[in-house]
């Protein structure tokens, strides 16, 4: 009947659109180090330096940079077992405070990630 058909169409239009996920880049072997936070003044003058970080990583696995409906996420995935270790949304709006990802002053291969 018309009423149930109309109701079904309205239900279909109010559903959330499907999520689109695109892998922008993959790093086969990524490492995570636990580093101490920096003071705001120190960060602005010196920045992060990889040579000051611990020598042993707290995690090693695959990193995928993902675009989900125009939002970017860093997805750290286990390679030795199923599952996700960590997923971090990238939000680099300077008006909201500190950046999610900051480059390291003494290396082009390392980045500081604010979690």
């Amino acid at each position: 009947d018309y009423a149930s058909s109309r109701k079904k169409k309205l239900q279909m239009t109010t559903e959330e659109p499907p999520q689109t996920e695109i892998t922008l880049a993959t790093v086969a072997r990524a490492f995570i180090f636990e580093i101490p936070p920096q003071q705001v003044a120190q960060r602005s003058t010196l920045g992060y330096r990889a040579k000051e970080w611990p020598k042993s990583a707290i995690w090693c696995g695959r990193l995928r940079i993902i675009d989900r409906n125009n939002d970017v996420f860093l997805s750290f995935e286990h390679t030795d077992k199923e599952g996700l270790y960590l997923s971090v949304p990238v939000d680099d709006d300077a008006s909201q405070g500190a950046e999610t990802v900051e480059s390291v002053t003494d290396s082009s291969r390392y980045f500081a990630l604010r979690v």
Side-chain angles (χ1 to χ4, degrees), residues 68-81:
R68 271 189 214 124
N69 292 340
N70 296 321
D71 292 322
V72 177
F73 292 84
L74 302 177
S75 181
F76 296 89
E77 303 168 343
H78 294 291
T79 53
D80 58 346
K81 60 184 176 183

Side-chain angles (χ1 to χ4, degrees), residues 13-105:
T13 59
T14 60
E15 292 177 9
E16 300 246 344
Q19 288 210 351
T20 303
E21 183 173 294
I22 301 168
T23 299
L24 302 173
T26 301
V27 177
R29 193 165 177 197
F31 299 90
I32 295 179
F33 298 89
E34 186 172 4
I35 59 174
Q38 290 187 323
Q39 301 299 326
V40 175
Q42 184 183 16
R43 189 173 354 144
S44 64
T45 58
L46 299 176
Y48 286 99
R49 292 187 298 203
K51 72 178 182 178
E52 297 171 350
W53 294 358
K55 299 301 177 212
S56 58
I58 61 170
W59 180 85
C60 177
R62 177 178 41 246
L63 164 63
R64 283 191 321 135
I65 303 171
I66 299 171
D67 179 327
R68 271 189 214 124
N69 292 340
N70 296 321
D71 292 322
V72 177
F73 292 84
L74 302 177
S75 181
F76 296 89
E77 303 168 343
H78 294 291
T79 53
D80 58 346
K81 60 184 176 183
E82 288 292 318
L84 183 67
Y85 176 74
L86 178 69
S87 181
V88 180
V90 177
D91 182 15
D92 288 340
D93 184 358
S95 67
Q96 298 297 318
E99 296 178 336
T100 304
V101 180
E102 295 183 41
S103 60
V104 174
T105 60

